[in-house]
């Protein structure tokens, strides 16, 4: 019997840090992924790729069992009702939102973090802009 594991995010400009994060998340059980809808991406000038294309990219990965569009992490938690919520290492420092912690605690959802990876979509975009 496998546990359902949730990872979520924008996954814009899919890159190796995303792949490593999702592959590590998959080691905890069957991987479901919440892909943030365009209207809820809170980064200036983003997303670069529209939500349907980002969802298609995530669904094409062998490590992903299921992927759906969501507004935010809380909606993804409610939709998938996972046993494990897997976030990137950057969330160890900044943490989840209080309502996400509360939902996980109320439903017995374990919170885990993948190993650090210094590459981010924002840093990649900045490098591209500097070389243009």
């Amino acid at each position: 019997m496998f546990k359902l594991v949730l990872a979520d995010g924008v996954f814009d400009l899919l890159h190796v840090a995303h792949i490593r994060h999702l592959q590590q998340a998959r080691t905890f059980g069957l991987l479901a992924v919440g892909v943030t809808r365009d209207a809820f991406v809170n980064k200036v000038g983003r997303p670069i790729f529209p939500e349907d294309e980002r969802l298609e990219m995530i669904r094409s990965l062998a490590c992903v069992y299921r992927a759906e569009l969501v507004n935010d992490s809380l909606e993804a938690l409610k939709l998938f009702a996972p046993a494990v919520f897997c976030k990137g290492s950057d969330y160890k420092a900044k943490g989840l939102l209080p309502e996400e912690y509360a939902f996980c605690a109320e439903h017995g959802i374990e919170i885990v973090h993948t190993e650090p990876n210094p590459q981010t979509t924002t840093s990649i975009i900045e490098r591209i802009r500097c070389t243009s």
Side-chain angles (χ1 to χ4, degrees), residues 54-74:
R54 293 182 290 113
L55 180 63
E56 182 180 341
M57 286 188 288
I58 294 298
R59 283 181 172 167
S60 74
L61 300 174
C63 62
V64 174
Y65 169 71
R66 181 178 168 202
E68 300 295 338
L69 292 171
V70 295
N71 296 347
D72 55 28
S73 295
L74 189 58

Side-chain angles (χ1 to χ4, degrees), residues 15-28:
H15 53 79
V16 71
H18 289 139
I19 301 302
R20 290 175 182 163
H21 170 64
L22 295 173
Q23 287 175 334
Q24 287 176 37
R26 171 63 178 92
T27 67
F28 297 102

Side-chain angles (χ1 to χ4, degrees), residues 92-108:
K92 283 184 184 178
K94 64 182 172 183
L96 303 179
L97 297 174
E99 57 270 24
E100 296 165 349
Y101 278 120
F103 187 88
C104 289
E106 182 181 337
H107 294 88

Side-chain angles (χ1 to χ4, degrees), residues 82-131:
V84 178
F85 186 29
C86 190
K87 296 298 282 183
S89 61
D90 52 326
Y91 281 87
K92 283 184 184 178
K94 64 182 172 183
L96 303 179
L97 297 174
E99 57 270 24
E100 296 165 349
Y101 278 120
F103 187 88
C104 289
E106 182 181 337
H107 294 88
I109 299 169
E110 178 184 7
I111 300 168
V112 299
H113 300 280
T114 54
E115 294 298 315
N117 193 316
Q119 187 160 282
T120 67
T121 303
T122 301
S123 67
I124 292 169
I125 291 171
E126 288 172 4
R127 284 195 332 253
I128 291 169
R129 286 185 177 144
C130 287
T131 60

